[in-house]
Amino acid sequence: DENGLAVGDRFFGVPRHSANFWTTYEPQEGLLKGFQVGGGVNLQDSQTIQPNSAGKTGSIPGFVTVGLMAGYSFDVGKTKVSAQLNVDNLLDKRYYTAAIPADVTNSTIDRTLFVNFGAPRTFMGSINVEF
């Protein structure tokens, strides 16, 4: 058709499958009341790369990343104070989120790609005060 794909083909740069699962646990009483832990995984299938000027195409591999979080909340009078630490890409997986072929016609460099790298292991903390 007009976008260069056969009926039923995936669009370039779109994974066939992706999933995200996240869960948290927070005890409601006892010594650990106010403490919260959680974790999750993000899965993404491979993506087809748009053909280059020579008509060649390919794909970038899928990936799985893992995240964790820990937090604690407590009350000070009528004020609620919460602190949280998140770790994304815990295993520091090197992955690509997109790839586009370079628009070149020189046959010696027709495999050149511009790629977007996924974020490395990242730590983010927050403190929240509700009054």
Side-chain angles (χ1 to χ4, degrees):
D1 70 11
E2 63 191 53
N3 64 14
L5 296 172
V7 174
D9 284 353
R10 281 189 289 167
F11 283 110
F12 303 117
V14 178
R16 184 175 307 276
H17 305 286
S18 63
N20 190 303
F21 174 77
W22 186 267
T23 187
T24 57
Y25 175 72
E26 182 175 1
Q28 299 300 306
E29 55 188 47
L31 293 173
L32 296 177
K33 182 177 181 180
F35 186 67
Q36 185 179 39
V37 294
V41 294
N42 180 38
L43 302 96
Q44 185 170 299
D45 200 3
S46 63
Q47 299 176 40
T48 303
I49 300 171
Q50 185 175 0
N52 63 11
S53 57
K56 295 180 182 178
T57 188
S59 66
I60 58 174
F63 60 89
V64 176
T65 58
V66 177
L68 293 178
M69 66 78 62
Y72 185 70
S73 297
F74 59 94
D75 295 324
V76 179
K78 293 183 178 183
T79 303
K80 181 178 181 177
V81 179
S82 302
Q84 184 170 316
L85 176 67
N86 289 57
V87 182
D88 291 323
N89 195 3
L90 176 71
L91 304 175
D92 205 20
K93 170 79 173 167
R94 185 175 190 171
Y95 64 99
Y96 310 101
T97 59
I100 301 170
D103 189 19
V104 295
T105 56
N106 183 338
S107 63
T108 62
I109 56 174
D110 68 355
R111 295 184 198 153
T112 303
L113 290 174
F114 296 110
V115 296
N116 291 343
F117 292 93
R121 182 183 304 126
T122 305
F123 297 87
M124 182 171 33
S126 65
I127 296 176
N128 187 31
V129 179
E130 296 177 36
F131 51 94

